[in-house]
Structures are given as C-alpha cells and as structure tokens.
Amino acid sequence: MTHIPPPAEELRLLDAELWQLDARRAQLLARRAWLVAALQPKWQAPQPTGPAASPRPEASAPSVQNVLLVLGGVLLTIAAMVFTLVSWGHLGITGRTLVLGAVTVAALAAPLPLLKRGLRSTAESVAGLGLALTALDAVALHGAVFPETPGAPYTAVASALLAALWTAYGLLPGATDLCLPRPAALVAAQLPLFFWAIAADADAYGVTAALLVTAGFDTVVAFRTTPGSVRVVAAIGAYGVGAWGALAAGLLTWTASGPSAAARAAALLLLASAIALAAAWQGGRTAVRVADGTGHPVQVNGQALGLAIVSGLLTVVALGGTARSLLPELWTVPAHLAFGIALLAALRLDRLPDTVRRGLAWASAAVQALSLLWALPVVGVVVLGPLAWASRAWTGAPSDARTAVTVDVTWPPHAEAAPLVLAAVAAVLTLAVRDAAWRPRALAGASGLAWATALTLPAVLELPYSAGLLIQGAATAGALTAAMFLRQHGTALVLALVSSASLALLALASQTATLVVLCGLIALFTAASWRLAPFTVPTALVLGAALACATGAAAHWSPAHTALLVLVVPATAALLAGRLGDSKATVPVEAAGAAAGLLAIALAATDLPLLATVLALCGVITAGTAIRTDRRSVGYAAAALFLAAAWVRLAAWEVDTPEAYTLPVTIPALLVGALRHRRDPQTSSWTSYAPGLAATLVPSLFAAWGDPHWTRPLLLGVAALLVTLAGARHHLQAPLLLGGAVLLLDALHELAPYIVQVTDALPRWVPPALAGLLLLALGATYEHRLRDARKMRHFLGNMH
C-alpha cells in the first residue's frame, strides 16, 4: 500500500521542493542574462511573441448585466401590457384569473430565491416586473370587473391599495434587500388624495389641499425613513407636489373675490408654509461653512435656509392676501411690507435654529426689497420729471407739487403709499441692523430712503408748489449735512447733487423761484465747502453760472451781454484756485471755471464786438492763472485768446486792411520774442515768435481768401515764404510751420480757380485714375517715404 504521510509532513516536503525549484530558476535566469550581455553585439535575444493585447472593453460586465436585465424586464412588461390590452378578451374569466394571477405571483415570488443565491440585480429586475404586473392587474380589473366605476375613485382606491401592497411586499423578511418596492409604493402614494378630491367633486381649494397634504406626507417620510432611495423619492415628491400646491394656493389668493375666499387660500398657504418651516426646522444634516457679517465662520444648512426663506415668503403672501381682500388696493403693498417686517420678530426667538432665523430674516429682506422696487417709479417721476421744465422755463408756476413733476410723465397708480413704504424700510435699517460690519451700510441706505421719502412727500400729498420747493431744498441740505459728518459720505453727497439738480430744474417754472432757489443752493454748497470742497465748490460755480444766465434773462439782456455776467464765474474760479494751491479741489474748480468761460464765449458768439471783449477778458483771466509757477503752460491759451480777440475785433470793424492794425503789434512782439530767445536760447520758438507772427499772418490769410485782386495774396505769399525760409535757416519750428502753412493755403487759394477749370475739363474717369496712380506710387515708395518722414520729424523736433 502507498504510504501517505500526515498533512503537516506533506506540506513541509512540498515547500522544500518549491524552494529548491525557485533557487534553480534564479541561477538559470542569472546565467541567461550573462549570456545575452556577452552576445549582444552579435545576436539579439529573441523577443517573446504573444497574442496582441486585447482592446479595452467599452462597457464593464456589471453595466452589460444591468442593461440586459433592464431590457428583459421592460420587454416582459410590454408583453404583459399587450396581453392585457389585446388578448384579454379571448379568455374567459377563469382563464384570465389563472393567467394573470399565476404570472404575477411568480414574478413576485421569484426575487426571494434569487436573493438567496446572490443574484441581486436579477431579483430587482424580476421584482420590477412583478410590480408592473400588479399595476396591470388593477387596470385589467377595472376593465373586466368594475367597468361602470368612474376612473377617479377607482384610481384613488387602486393606487392606495397598490401603495399598501408594495410596501408590505418590500417589508417581507426575504425581500427587505430589494430597492424597488418601497420607492414604488411611495410613488403610488402620491395619487390617492389627489384623485379622491377629484372624485368628490372638490373645488380648487380641495384639490390644492390634497396636494399640500400629500407634500406634507412626503416630508414626513423623507425625514423618518432610513433607506436612501425612499428618502430621495420622498424629497422629490415633497418639492414637486409642494411647489405645485403652493403655486395653486398663491393663484387662489391672487384671484380671491372676497374675504372668505382669501381666508381659505391663506389657510392653504399657511399649510404650505408650515410644511416648509417644519422641514427647515428638522433641516438636513449637511452644513456648509460661510462667513457672517462679523467675518466669523458659521455653520449654515443651505437646504434648510432655502426652506425657511420660502416659509417666510408664503406666510407674508397668505396674510397679505387676506389683508388685500379687506383693505383698499392702495394698502396692498404696505400690508405685505408690514407682515414682512413682522418676520424679523423671529430673530428674538432663541428656540428657533439659527438657520431658520437667518432664512426668515432673508425672507423679510426680500419682501422689503420688492416693496422698494414698487416705490421706485414714484421716486423716478419726482427726480426726473422736472427735466420737462428745461423747454418750458418761466411759463408759470404749477398749481401743486404733483403737477410740477408730471408735466410730460404719468403719475403711477396707487402711489400715495410710497412715502410710507420708504420710511418704513428706512426705520427697519436704522433699528434692526446692529451688526458692526453692516451698520454703516444700513445707515447709508436709511439716509437715502429718508431722502427719497422727503422728495416724494410733496407730490404724493399734492402740496403747494412753493412747499414742494422748500421740502426738496431741506432734503438737499439734509443730504449735504449727512455727507459732511458721515464716514461713508459718498452716497449722501450723490443724493445731494441729484436733488439739487432736480430742484434747480423744478424751479424753472417760475422766474422768482429760479433766482431764489439758485441763490439758496449756491449759499448751501458754499457753506459745505469747508468739508467737501472738491465736490461742493465746483457745484457752486456751476450754479453761479446758471444764476448769471437767469439774472441776464430776468433783466432782458441779450445772450451776448449776459456772457459778460457769466465771466464772473471763471474769474472767481481763478482766484479760488490760486488760494487753494495744491488742494484736491484745485483741478475741479479750474475745470468748472473753464466750462463757464466756454459758456460765455458761446453766448457771445452772435455779437462780434462783445465776443471780442469776452475773448479778451477770458485771456486776462487765463493770463492771471499763468502767473502761478505750476500753470505756466496756460500762457499759451492766454496768447491764443488774445489773438482770437484781436481777430474778432478786426472782423467786427469790417477792416479791409487788417495789416494796418496787426503790423504795429507784430513788429514789437517779434522784437520782444527775439530778445527773450537771445537771453534764453532754451525758450521755445512758439513762445517767442508764434504770437507775433500769428497776429498778422492769420488775419491777412482770411482777408486774402476774400480778396479778388492779386496784390494781397502775392504780398502775403512773399511774407510767408520769407518767414518759412527764416525758420528753416535758424532751425525754428514755429516760423517754419506757420509760414509754410500760410504759404500753402495762399497758393491753394490762387490755384483754386484753375483747379476747378481743369477738373471740369477732364473726363470723369481721369480723377479716379490719377488717384489710383498716386496710391500705387505711394505704395511702391512707402518705406522710402517713411524714412523721409522720420527724418523730417527728427529735424522738426530738434528745432526750438
């Protein structure tokens, strides 16, 4: 007999033999590696060839399995439906019962042994088939056994029975691992109440109540069940059915015809709000870390926060809808705002979770924001409506403040409550916001809303026109005061500027009001300049220019004479800029003065003698500014203004020989310029020679263009040529460019008649052809001409 050693001894022998084999294999592999290295230059070791690598599968085995199982279940379900709908009538009652009963029982019983064998996916597919068969059984029973039963009650009873049956099936001892039965039962549970309400001929309120009760049931299931699939289906049902019911209740509130209907709709909305609040209270366990107003991180549940916001909004809509049915339409928005502000009381309830309190606060903020959006058109009409008086100045004071702002616009309906809304939100921002980080912003917003309240109050109450002006002036003064003493003064300053502009436009209705309001605004902005000079001083100067124009118009002066009065503003600006020095207000003040100077020039443009005077006075003011060391460059503008004044004066005198007046100025100016250039060779030729040359060349050029004789153009051309040659000889930029420009224009004037004659004599195709040839020539020598242009620029740049 063969000797069989004990298992332990046999295992030891096998291990010893395997160790010897491994050692021998290692020796052989080492010898093979040495031989391969020694023969490498002469012989390459044959590479092992094997089958080509199989391509990576595009679908995993579990995916293929699931697809096959789903397709099989779907096909079987379709086959059962075809059988039920088509072949059902070919069998008797006994056959029908046996077939469907046997197939359904088999489909429901098969998953249990499949789960025991570990075939979970197959069991799920067969269970799904069984659930579908039970639904088909219900359809078949209605067609064969209960054909006279209406569809709505039968659907309600059948869906309730199916929900109970599928729930019981999913709770069987062997079927608890199946994922389909209980979610399917929850889906079926969405139908009974809805169809029962339809079967009972319930009105819209009853159907909406059924939807909301179903949503509440889903909410309870979502928070009380453990399986994840059931919770997901319950959450989807709660959100979907709940949103449907809440929208329906909101529509019923909006269309309610009386207090009774509004109360019933409000009860439905409160039910929806209670469901959302309960869900927010329970909350999800998932939280995200965000920063609050103090910068410290806090835990906030996003889902619970959203539900709390929805709950607060639904409550406001419910209570506001009830109040709307009892109050006039004027008080609809204030009533909703009152209930929205009342939500802030939840902030004092310590029993509420922080997320719920935060959500109710956000809901209150949303209601307040919507109320402000409703009141915004009223503020827009009050602020922008006075623009219409720009084209109706001094046509007569309107009867009241509302008429004054609605010249070209329509007064919004039910706007009488707008000041109340604005004031209420301002009070909330002042009293409710206590956080250190948000407090300054809240105060700035409250001041803006208080300003808007003051502006809209006269028009809403239809106060007299003068009272409206006084109140708007007080609002401007209040905004300026807030801008002077608040840290974040930007908002208040903008409001002050806006209200002052609106007030000035509103005062255009009456001559007296215009003068009084402009004087008051100038005094107001001047008084505020000790804290806000960069903004208020330019504004006061602009208002001063407007006052000068209004004073001239009131005195029945022509625009040209009014321009002399407007020149007081740039003179004042020049004096103030000299006193301010390097202040931030210097540049804005100078800009305002320059704008007033341009306005004066524009007003005097229709009267040449006065225009010359205005230009000369502007030159004096500019020359005074150029005395300052940091404004030396303004001297060029002063020289240009003086030259323009001289030219305009010559044109006003209708001088035919301007050289008689300009040469006595040009010769001394050139001598002074030459003396200065000799003492300081670094002085620019534009400073030394340009004023003197332009004093004669430019008026002579204008006279030559209107002179039909040849003497003046010839003499002007000779003079311009000499100036050009002198500039080229001494490398002076101003004489070269001024003389060359005048020479070119004078030559064009002389050649213009002949050019016109030649143009009329040539065929029409010749000018385009010549232009094309010129372009080709320029393109061919582009690089060369660029080099010449650079040389010319360098040559001119080296001149003085």
Side-chain angles (χ1 to χ4, degrees):
M1 295 179 65
T2 302
H3 174 70
I4 299 177
E9 181 65 19
E10 185 178 1
L11 180 61
R12 186 184 64 78
L13 294 175
L14 290 176
D15 289 340
E17 290 181 3
L18 290 174
W19 181 83
Q20 291 177 0
L21 289 174
D22 290 340
R24 181 60 178 167
R25 176 179 174 82
Q27 292 176 357
L28 293 176
L29 289 175
R31 181 62 179 172
R32 181 184 181 279
W34 183 86
L35 291 174
V36 169
L39 299 175
Q40 187 69 28
K42 300 179 181 180
W43 174 79
Q44 292 291 337
Q47 298 295 328
T49 59
S54 60
R56 183 179 180 181
E58 296 182 356
S60 61
S63 299
V64 174
Q65 165 192 305
N66 293 334
V67 170
L68 294 176
L69 291 175
V70 170
L71 287 176
V74 171
L75 291 175
L76 288 175
T77 303
I78 293 174
M81 293 174 63
V82 173
F83 171 78
T84 304
L85 298 175
V86 178
S87 301
W88 183 261
H90 300 291
L91 299 175
I93 187 63
T94 304
R96 300 171 188 174
T97 305
L98 291 177
V99 171
L100 275 180
V103 174
T104 303
V105 171
L108 293 176
L112 302 180
L114 291 174
L115 287 175
K116 293 181 179 180
R117 294 179 177 272
L119 302 176
R120 182 184 180 88
S121 300
T122 306
E124 292 286 355
S125 298
V126 177
L129 175 61
L131 298 178
L133 287 174
T134 55
L136 291 175
D137 290 342
V139 175
L141 285 175
H142 180 264
V145 181
F146 307 103
E148 302 298 331
T149 305
Y154 183 83
T155 303
V157 175
S159 58
L161 293 177
L162 287 176
L165 175 63
W166 292 347
T167 302
Y169 177 69
L171 295 176
L172 290 176
T176 54
D177 293 335
L178 292 175
C179 297
L180 286 178
R182 280 175 285 179
L186 187 58
V187 172
Q190 309 300 308
L191 304 178
L193 288 178
F194 178 74
F195 282 99
W196 188 262
I198 294 176
D201 292 331
D203 54 5
Y205 297 92
V207 175
T208 304
L211 291 174
L212 292 176
V213 172
T214 303
F217 168 74
D218 293 334
T219 303
V220 173
V221 172
F223 285 106
R224 296 299 181 184
T225 56
T226 303
S229 58
V230 178
R231 297 185 63 182
V232 169
V233 174
I236 295 174
Y239 280 113
V241 180
W244 188 8
L247 290 176
L251 182 60
L252 291 174
T253 301
W254 183 260
T255 58
S257 58
S260 176
R264 286 186 292 166
L268 294 175
L269 282 174
L270 291 176
L271 175 59
S273 175
I275 295 172
L277 181 62
W281 194 306
Q282 292 294 327
R285 296 183 179 180
T286 311
V288 293
R289 187 173 292 274
V290 299
D292 60 1
T294 61
H296 301 293
V298 296
Q299 292 289 339
V300 177
N301 187 315
Q303 184 180 13
L305 179 65
L307 289 172
I309 294 174
V310 171
S311 175
L313 293 177
L314 290 176
T315 301
V316 171
V317 174
L319 300 178
T322 304
R324 186 174 66 88
S325 64
L326 299 173
L327 299 174
E329 190 174 358
L330 170 65
W331 298 102
T332 298
V333 175
H336 284 80
L337 178 61
F339 292 121
I341 295 174
L343 289 177
L344 295 175
L347 297 177
R348 299 184 178 275
L349 300 177
D350 296 333
R351 294 183 179 181
L352 289 177
D354 291 339
T355 302
V356 175
R357 287 188 293 171
R358 189 182 297 271
L360 294 178
W362 277 106
S364 176
V367 174
Q368 296 177 55
L370 292 174
S371 301
L372 292 179
L373 189 63
W374 171 81
L376 186 61
V378 183
V379 181
V381 168
V382 172
V383 173
L384 300 178
L387 283 172
W389 289 107
S391 59
R392 297 178 174 85
W394 298 357
T395 56
S399 58
D400 54 67
R402 183 181 298 184
T403 306
V405 298
T406 56
V407 178
D408 285 341
V409 296
T410 304
W411 184 250
H414 310 296
E416 289 75 11
L420 179 61
V421 171
L422 296 171
V425 178
V428 170
L429 290 176
T430 303
L431 301 176
V433 180
R434 296 295 182 181
D435 187 83
W438 289 92
R439 182 68 176 173
R441 304 173 190 176
L443 290 177
S447 62
L449 293 175
W451 169 85
T453 303
L455 255 65
T456 57
L457 196 60
V460 168
L461 299 179
E462 297 184 89
L463 297 179
Y465 172 68
S466 57
L469 294 178
L470 289 175
I471 293 176
Q472 191 161 347
T476 304
L480 267 182
T481 304
M484 287 190 292
F485 296 103
L486 289 180
R487 291 183 179 180
Q488 297 181 350
H489 61 275
T491 303
L493 182 60
V494 171
L495 295 178
L497 295 175
V498 171
S499 61
S500 64
S502 178
L503 178 59
L505 291 171
L506 189 63
L508 289 176
S510 170
Q511 176 179 320
T512 304
T514 301
L515 297 175
V516 172
V517 166
L518 288 176
C519 291
L521 289 176
I522 292 172
L524 184 62
F525 280 93
T526 303
S529 297
W530 65 282
R531 292 290 296 271
L532 304 170
F535 306 98
T536 55
V537 175
T539 305
L541 291 174
V542 172
L543 292 171
L547 177 61
C549 294
T551 302
H556 302 289
W557 291 359
S558 65
H561 288 85
T562 304
L564 297 174
L565 188 59
V566 175
L567 285 179
V568 176
V569 176
T572 305
L575 294 175
L576 288 175
R579 295 293 301 273
L580 291 173
D582 296 334
S583 173
K584 294 180 179 180
T586 302
V587 175
V589 167
E590 291 176 342
L598 293 176
L599 175 62
I601 294 173
L603 290 174
T606 57
D607 192 331
L608 291 181
L610 284 177
L611 177 60
T613 304
V614 170
L615 288 171
L617 292 175
C618 289
V620 172
I621 297 171
T622 309
T625 303
I627 297 175
R628 295 161 47 194
T629 56
D630 57 338
R631 293 292 186 269
R632 296 296 189 193
S633 58
V634 182
Y636 296 106
L641 288 171
F642 283 130
L643 285 175
W647 299 338
V648 172
R649 175 59 62 182
L650 292 176
W653 286 341
E654 298 181 357
V655 175
D656 296 332
T657 309
E659 293 82 5
Y661 298 90
T662 58
L663 283 176
V665 177
T666 296
I667 294 173
L670 291 177
L671 291 177
V672 173
L675 181 61
R676 180 179 179 182
H677 189 268
R678 176 174 294 183
R679 291 183 177 180
D680 186 8
Q682 300 299 324
T683 304
S684 172
S685 63
W686 292 100
T687 303
S688 302
Y689 302 108
L693 292 173
T696 295
L697 291 178
V698 175
S700 298
L701 180 62
F702 279 101
W705 271 80
D707 193 344
H709 304 287
W710 59 271
T711 307
R712 185 190 302 275
L714 178 61
L715 294 176
L716 178 62
V718 171
L721 178 61
L722 293 177
V723 171
T724 303
L725 294 176
R729 172 67 179 80
H730 298 285
H731 297 278
L732 298 175
Q733 192 177 93
L736 178 64
L737 294 181
L738 283 175
V742 173
L743 180 61
L744 178 61
L745 292 174
D746 185 66
L748 288 177
H749 171 263
E750 293 303 308
L751 293 176
Y754 303 101
I755 294 174
V756 171
Q757 292 177 4
V758 172
T759 304
D760 291 338
L762 289 176
R764 294 188 176 182
W765 59 267
V766 173
L770 292 177
L773 291 175
L774 177 62
L775 291 176
L776 289 177
L778 290 175
T781 59
Y782 185 71
E783 184 177 2
H784 179 70
R785 294 183 183 278
L786 283 178
R787 183 167 63 251
D788 293 343
R790 284 194 293 269
K791 290 180 180 180
M792 179 59 68
R793 184 179 60 186
H794 180 69
F795 174 74
L796 292 176
N798 292 330
M799 291 183 176
H800 293 288

